[in-house]
Amino acid sequence: MCLFKHVKDTLKAEKATLNTKDARNPIETIRCPHVDCPEHEMIFDYFVQFLQRNIKESIDGHVNRPIKEKNFAKDAKTFSELERVVFYEDLTFEKKVRLLSIPTIDRIRHFLTDLFTFTTVKAETIVYQIIILRRFMKYSQWSLRAANWRSLIITSLRVALKLEQNLVVSTKVLSHVYPLFKPEEYVKCENAFLKILNWDLWVSTEQYMAQLSSALRTKPSA
């Protein structure tokens, strides 16, 4: 219960501060740097390969229309980037096509590197993030898609950082890192993520060790 209260309290506090003015550059308030150790790199590489295997198309190639998730349809739209990309004026047509296509392993690696650079991510937090992301996919029966994987990665990371490291990453900072979503939209994503999980955030030692073992057995990606 204490675990859930902590996450709820941080969400409530964020909602209260979203409309306040902050004279500081949000990026300057982040304590970094990317943890550089062999185990961290192996877990990072495992995550990259996991995403590459699981991200699917967002557009049905036969009928040329968006693929809609049957379960939690309203929540699926919260995470979707389709309309955001189409109507985002600062993106070129080529950039929009690239964002809505299945990413290459290099693009996945680049996105995660940029994201983790702005957060103090420990190796064990990435393991926890992978576990709750897998659990979310099971509960929702969604696929990771070209138009939702980034928002789901950001949201699962925010939850994992709160629970594993007691660290709250500002939604204003995330909007600098990935500006397709506004700060208040990241809060909505987290609320939807936790609702679909039914607040099932507990990870046992056995679950953690099993996931860690899988990650440390992974061969480096080419």
Side-chain angles (χ1 to χ4, degrees):
M1 186 63 68
C2 183
L3 190 79
F4 305 149
K5 185 177 185 301
H6 171 63
V7 178
K8 285 183 177 179
D9 288 346
T10 57
L11 275 172
K12 191 179 296 183
E14 284 173 318
K15 287 180 182 178
T17 58
L18 278 176
N19 295 325
T20 61
K21 294 183 178 180
D22 188 349
R24 299 173 298 171
N25 181 344
I27 292 181
E28 292 176 354
T29 68
I30 288 297
R31 39 196 192 96
C32 290
H34 178 70
V35 180
D36 187 16
C37 69
E39 292 79 10
H40 191 285
E41 291 303 317
M42 292 175 73
I43 295 167
F44 178 86
D45 206 59
Y46 173 87
F47 198 12
V48 171
Q49 293 180 50
F50 166 78
L51 293 173
Q52 184 191 37
R53 289 192 306 269
N54 285 280
I55 297 173
K56 305 180 187 302
E57 293 281 4
S58 290
I59 303 294
D60 189 322
H62 298 290
V63 296
N64 195 30
R65 66 185 180 194
I67 297 173
K68 295 183 179 179
E69 305 293 352
K70 296 178 181 179
N71 299 315
F72 304 103
K74 184 177 179 180
D75 294 307
K77 192 172 182 180
T78 300
F79 293 95
S80 177
E81 301 169 18
L82 277 170
E83 292 184 5
R84 291 177 172 87
V85 169
V86 170
F87 294 107
Y88 199 79
E89 296 180 354
D90 293 339
L91 294 175
T92 63
F93 176 76
E94 291 77 12
K95 179 77 170 178
K96 291 179 180 181
V97 170
R98 191 160 66 249
L99 282 172
L100 297 178
S101 302
I102 294 178
T104 63
I105 196 166
D106 287 338
R107 280 173 53 205
I108 296 171
R109 183 180 293 278
H110 181 74
F111 178 81
L112 290 183
T113 300
D114 282 352
L115 180 61
F116 289 168
T117 296
F118 286 96
T119 53
T120 313
V121 182
K122 296 180 181 179
E124 55 266 29
T125 303
I126 301 177
V127 175
Y128 184 89
Q129 179 184 6
I130 295 169
I131 293 172
I132 62 171
L133 182 59
R134 283 179 179 273
R135 190 177 293 171
F136 175 87
M137 292 168 65
K138 178 181 178 181
Y139 281 29
S140 65
Q141 297 185 356
W142 295 356
S143 296
L144 290 174
R145 298 202 179 276
N148 73 7
W149 70 275
R150 285 167 290 256
S151 57
L152 285 170
I153 293 304
I154 290 173
T155 303
S156 58
L157 177 62
R158 271 171 53 80
V159 173
L161 283 167
K162 287 178 181 180
L163 296 174
E164 279 292 298
Q165 297 178 218
N166 196 28
L167 175 64
V168 179
V169 180
S170 166
T171 53
K172 294 180 181 179
V173 170
L174 293 175
S175 288
H176 278 265
V177 176
Y178 193 60
L180 275 184
F181 287 78
K182 298 176 182 177
E184 60 271 19
E185 290 177 320
Y186 280 118
V187 173
K188 288 181 181 178
C189 285
E190 187 167 345
N191 277 322
F193 189 87
L194 294 169
K195 182 188 77 176
I196 292 171
L197 270 178
N198 196 27
W199 290 86
D200 184 5
L201 301 172
W202 174 256
V203 173
S204 68
T205 302
E206 292 77 13
Q207 290 172 319
Y208 177 87
M209 293 306 298
Q211 183 63 79
L212 177 62
S213 297
S214 295
L216 295 181
R217 288 196 304 266
T218 302
K219 295 180 180 179
S221 56

